[in-house]
Amino acid sequence: MLRILSRSTSRGIVRVTQCTSTAMTQPPPGKMFSLQASLPRLPVPPLEQTLNKYLKSVRPLLSDEEFKTTEQIVQDFSRNPGPKLQKLLEYKANQEENWLSDWWMKTAYLEFRSPVPVNVSPGIVFPRQSYRDKEGQLRFASKLIAGVLDFKVMIDTQNLPVEHMGKKPLCMTQYYKILSACRTPGKKCDSWACYPPNESNAPKHIIVAHNNQFFSLDVYGADGRPLSEAQIYRQLKSLVQESAQVATPVGLLTTENRSTWAKAYSELVNDQENSASLRKINHSICLVCLDNNLPQDMSDERSVAAQQMLHGGGDSLNSGNRWFDKTIQFVVGREGISGLTYEHTSAEGPPVVMLLDHVVKYCSENHSPGSDTPAPATPTKLTFNLSKNIKEMIDTARTHLDVLVDDVDLNVFVFKDYGKNFPKSQKMSPDSFLQNAIQLAYYRIHNEPAPHYETGTLRMFHLGRTDTIRSCSEASLEFCKAFVNSNTPKERKVELLRNAVQAHKSYTNEVIQGNGIDRHLLGLKLAAIKNGMNVPDLHMDMAYTLSTHFRMSTSQVPAHSDSVLVFGPVVPDGYGVCYNPQETQVHFGVSAFNITPETNSKNYINMLRNTLLEMRDLFQGSMQSKL
Ligand code: HC5
């Protein structure tokens, strides 16, 4: 089976420095990986196919003149150096388990230098709980930790059922990377390590953050069983008492530009005490952040909660009570607010959502108290020796983070008038319908189409991650233009919407089957660079830059729970739109940056709401609604 296994050290740590890898060394006890060996390998699409699709995708974004230039550039590329680069990619694909994985992990994550909060790590808000004080916070946190450990059993024993898309099984390796994993900063490229559950050194502790202090808490007793909820509660209570004072927020360093953080990190690890504390954090199962009060106006409490999950609200609120390098940090506030933030290097949203849906459900159920495990270890405080230099770096990090936090314009909204039910009743793909609404709302505000990214999954392939669904098409632009033109008859608008929905649906299906263009084009570019060739003209062309400047960065992440998912825009003048579509409603998290006054999340949300309502109105009284 062990195509999954790439590299694993004798101490059982899967270390990835500047490349990707996954872990498994033992035959699986459960069925989670039983279909893994049968998964197809990610193909390299035919060159001509990608180039033709690329031209089609840039057409709605370019003038006739610009398009002509790009056509010429693409044609030249198809003769030289396209075929040569294609051969190099095909060779790589023959040699490796997945030709894209290591390049993607580096390019999208480990080499990316921007701070991880807002720019990389998504946040998720759980449904609000009824407690409102510190006591309730600790009780809920204990339950949440018990819920995480309950889910972890299924991962550890490989008993999660294999997920499917239609009849096709999906790659399950990401489930082995969401817990017990951590990123660490490097000067030019970060590292990532995971401590898989079937190794003898698999971690048995979590880190609890309170008042900017960090504690290591063993969550398994001497008999190897998880602590009971009551035991967890007592442990939390004692560590909270031990950290009554707010400490210097060393965690703020993890919010820095990665190279800046790398500098601080290399100084920190020189000290033995610091190095031991960092190792404990990196090696832990996950973080649980017990936050302090939010003194803000809570009138739009879900948006405030979303900010807490995305960045912690700045130094004056809870950002110092985080360790953003950790793959999963659960956040438990005082006001019944909870959720998580996750560092994205390891995995896409769905495995994390599977975990949180389990935890949310677990927390809503009554569980028998469970017996205590013998001799739980007392939590240990992790200490840091902070030099003058490091303290200055923390001050700078504080300034940088507060600028970032002030720049983020984030709002959530629940569209309650319909969900997937309406497009389904009209025989349209719900996601393609919503994507066209998202594109149209942008068009109505900005009077032009947006280069538009939607995450498409590649998990049908072994070690597959994502490719781009380019949601802006000639058909979607035609629909947008017709929609805003008051002379267009309703029937025509409906017809064009159906075309646009169909175009999106086809593009999505192609992506899912490995026939997307963005990862292929990236691969061709990297093949040139790695082989000492120039970056091809195709990639230097304005059309490439423009069409990958994704003003609309979107992702559909379905959850069973009423959770709201948020992430930041990927460009200064763009929006991030994450949505959780349910049968009769849709949760949206919308972000923008204040530095660009033209993009405003509230304004966008209003337009999106109107657009969704008006798109439904198109069908009222028309033939289609009688179908
Ligand atoms: C809480 C889950 C949020 C979804 C995260 C997601 O979709 O990330 C995208 C990953 C990818 O490779 O497309 C990146 N994006 C946030 C920039 C859309």
Side-chain angles (χ1 to χ4, degrees):
M1 108 144 262
L2 296 203
R3 274 217 273 145
I4 301 176
L5 176 65
S6 294
R7 181 152 31 124
S8 158
T9 69
S10 55
R11 277 159 50 239
I13 304 167
V14 176
R15 261 192 208 299
V16 180
T17 308
Q18 309 181 7
C19 78
T20 185
S21 156
T22 23
M24 281 205 17
T25 53
Q26 316 253 311
K31 293 212 178 302
M32 188 167 136
F33 294 120
S34 59
L35 300 177
Q36 197 67 29
S38 71
L39 293 180
R41 286 163 70 142
L42 181 69
V44 178
L47 184 61
E48 284 304 313
Q49 173 184 304
T50 293
L51 297 179
N52 290 334
K53 286 177 72 171
Y54 170 64
L55 280 175
K56 253 175 99 73
S57 78
V58 297
R59 187 65 196 94
L61 304 170
L62 301 178
S63 69
D64 292 350
E65 202 58 29
E66 290 164 343
F67 185 66
K68 254 198 206 132
T69 311
T70 297
E71 255 183 334
Q72 189 58 53
I73 290 172
V74 168
Q75 210 176 66
D76 293 348
F77 180 85
S78 76
R79 287 191 212 105
N80 181 36
K84 192 170 170 191
L85 300 176
Q86 177 77 0
K87 282 231 158 58
L88 289 167
L89 272 193
E90 285 166 357
Y91 179 79
K92 187 173 194 294
N94 264 328
Q95 301 298 307
E96 297 174 5
E97 294 180 300
N98 181 317
W99 65 265
L100 180 60
S101 318
D102 60 338
W103 281 358
W104 181 245
M105 199 171 185
K106 267 177 88 168
T107 312
Y109 298 108
L110 299 178
E111 288 178 348
F112 188 57
R113 302 288 82 198
S114 297
V116 289
V118 181
N119 301 303
V120 176
S121 303
I124 305 178
V125 186
F126 299 170
R128 196 171 185 197
Q129 305 297 317
S130 56
Y131 72 84
R132 294 287 178 271
D133 57 10
K134 201 162 182 173
E135 176 61 20
Q137 177 188 30
L138 295 190
R139 297 253 170 231
F140 181 72
S142 317
K143 211 167 197 166
L144 182 144
I145 293 167
V148 173
L149 297 176
D150 193 60
F151 188 78
K152 190 171 182 303
V153 172
M154 285 188 286
I155 298 181
D156 293 357
T157 56
Q158 298 178 14
N159 271 312
L160 280 173
V162 178
E163 287 175 274
H164 284 75
M165 188 180 290
K167 290 201 169 110
K168 301 272 176 62
L170 300 182
C171 176
M172 294 295 287
T173 56
Q174 291 181 19
Y175 283 95
Y176 249 43
K177 305 180 187 178
I178 54 178
L179 293 173
S180 313
C182 199
R183 180 170 170 162
T184 42
K187 200 168 165 195
K188 292 189 179 140
C189 181
D190 287 1
S191 302
W192 177 88
C194 168
Y195 307 88
N198 54 342
E199 299 287 351
S200 56
N201 71 343
K204 303 279 182 225
H205 67 283
I206 63 169
I207 301 292
V208 181
H210 179 245
N211 272 335
N212 304 341
Q213 304 189 37
F214 300 94
F215 291 82
S216 170
L217 169 59
D218 283 353
V219 284
Y220 296 89
D223 60 356
R225 282 189 308 126
L227 266 55
S228 71
E229 211 177 293
Q231 281 178 306
I232 298 172
Y233 170 79
R234 288 196 292 273
Q235 303 279 42
L236 293 182
K237 189 125 192 155
S238 84
L239 71 83
V240 160
Q241 274 159 5
E242 216 188 306
S243 51
Q245 303 299 324
V246 179
T248 308
V250 60
L252 280 184
L253 291 171
T254 67
T255 69
E256 265 287 15
N257 168 289
R258 303 304 298 174
S259 302
T260 311
W261 169 211
K263 247 188 229 158
Y265 193 92
S266 62
E267 186 184 327
L268 271 178
V269 284
N270 277 337
D271 175 279
Q272 259 186 1
E273 198 172 312
N274 294 340
S275 157
S277 296
L278 290 169
R279 196 165 38 218
K280 268 283 181 200
I281 296 176
N282 296 344
H283 188 250
S284 64
I285 296 168
C286 63
L287 241 84
V288 174
C289 309
L290 301 174
D291 277 4
N292 282 332
N293 285 95
L294 299 170
Q296 289 153 298
D297 163 24
M298 295 288 282
S299 50
D300 183 8
E301 143 253 314
R302 293 248 272 182
S303 297
V304 172
Q307 289 158 16
Q308 287 300 304
M309 302 315 146
L310 195 64
H311 50 55
D315 175 52
S316 63
L317 296 178
N318 293 299
S319 300
N321 203 42
R322 305 271 185 279
W323 195 268
F324 283 98
D325 287 11
K326 193 69 199 165
T327 300
I328 295 192
Q329 304 188 75
F330 292 93
V331 173
V332 182
R334 294 262 169 87
E335 295 82 359
I337 284 171
S338 64
L340 65 81
T341 174
Y342 85 93
E343 200 289 308
H344 213 317
T345 304
S346 313
E348 312 312 332
V352 178
V353 169
M354 181 83 102
L355 162 65
L356 83 87
D357 272 347
H358 184 90
V359 171
V360 168
K361 183 162 174 284
Y362 185 96
C363 291
S364 70
E365 297 165 344
N366 278 324
H367 291 269
S368 62
S371 58
D372 286 358
T373 64
T378 44
T380 47
K381 190 193 254 191
L382 305 182
T383 50
F384 288 95
N385 283 318
L386 303 177
S387 68
K388 187 167 162 281
N389 193 26
I390 292 283
K391 281 188 180 148
E392 278 170 18
M393 286 176 168
I394 294 174
D395 280 340
T396 313
R398 176 184 284 129
T399 313
H400 289 164
L401 179 72
D402 285 349
V403 169
L404 179 62
V405 165
D406 279 349
D407 197 17
V408 175
D409 160 25
L410 178 67
N411 275 288
V412 306
F413 107 102
V414 190
F415 180 72
K416 292 199 162 144
D417 290 77
Y418 58 86
K420 291 188 286 188
N421 55 348
F422 173 68
K424 278 201 248 171
S425 76
Q426 298 299 329
K427 309 240 175 321
M428 283 181 287
S429 146
D431 187 56
S432 298
F433 181 90
L434 290 172
Q435 281 289 320
N436 275 288
I438 290 169
Q439 172 76 212
L440 176 56
Y442 180 99
Y443 184 86
R444 293 173 82 183
I445 296 172
H446 300 282
N447 302 313
E448 60 178 13
H452 185 148
Y453 180 114
E454 182 191 8
T455 302
T457 182
L458 291 180
R459 280 181 61 208
M460 253 157 52
F461 301 97
H462 177 60
L463 300 180
R465 297 285 307 252
T466 64
D467 202 339
T468 309
I469 300 167
R470 290 193 172 202
S471 290
C472 176
S473 62
E474 285 176 282
S476 76
L477 179 57
E478 207 186 344
F479 167 61
C480 290
K481 283 183 175 163
F483 188 92
V484 299
N485 181 346
S486 53
N487 294 326
T488 316
K490 244 183 178 184
E491 289 68 28
R492 177 74 182 143
K493 289 183 184 172
V494 169
E495 189 188 337
L496 292 176
L497 172 57
R498 285 189 183 281
N499 286 347
V501 165
Q502 193 44 48
H504 180 271
K505 186 75 208 152
S506 310
Y507 199 110
T508 303
N509 286 340
E510 288 161 18
V511 164
I512 288 169
Q513 282 156 24
N515 287 308
I517 63 169
D518 282 85
R519 301 300 176 264
H520 187 199
L521 290 173
L522 173 71
L524 294 164
K525 177 178 157 188
L526 291 175
I529 295 170
K530 308 269 173 197
N531 288 282
M533 294 153 67
N534 290 334
V535 174
D537 289 345
L538 182 148
H539 300 87
M540 306 286 273
D541 179 24
M542 183 271 279
Y544 187 75
T545 312
L546 176 79
S547 67
T548 53
H549 184 89
F550 290 109
R551 292 222 163 103
M552 261 302 158
S553 169
T554 73
S555 194
Q556 170 189 227
V557 189
H560 288 296
S561 53
D562 282 339
S563 297
V564 184
L565 306 100
V566 293
F567 49 71
V570 293
V571 293
D573 51 352
Y575 300 92
V577 178
C578 195
Y579 53 104
N580 167 9
Q582 297 174 326
E583 209 43 38
T584 58
Q585 60 179 10
V586 187
H587 297 269
F588 285 96
V590 178
S591 61
F593 286 122
N594 291 319
I595 194 164
T596 307
E598 291 79 19
T599 55
N600 176 285
S601 67
K602 278 218 165 104
N603 185 26
Y604 181 80
I605 283 172
N606 285 334
M607 187 58 94
L608 183 59
R609 183 188 292 114
N610 291 340
T611 299
L612 286 165
L613 292 173
E614 290 169 37
M615 278 169 69
R616 184 179 62 179
D617 286 349
L618 291 179
F619 294 84
Q620 303 298 324
S622 73
M623 288 304 286
Q624 281 85 349
S625 67
K626 298 198 190 87
L627 286 178

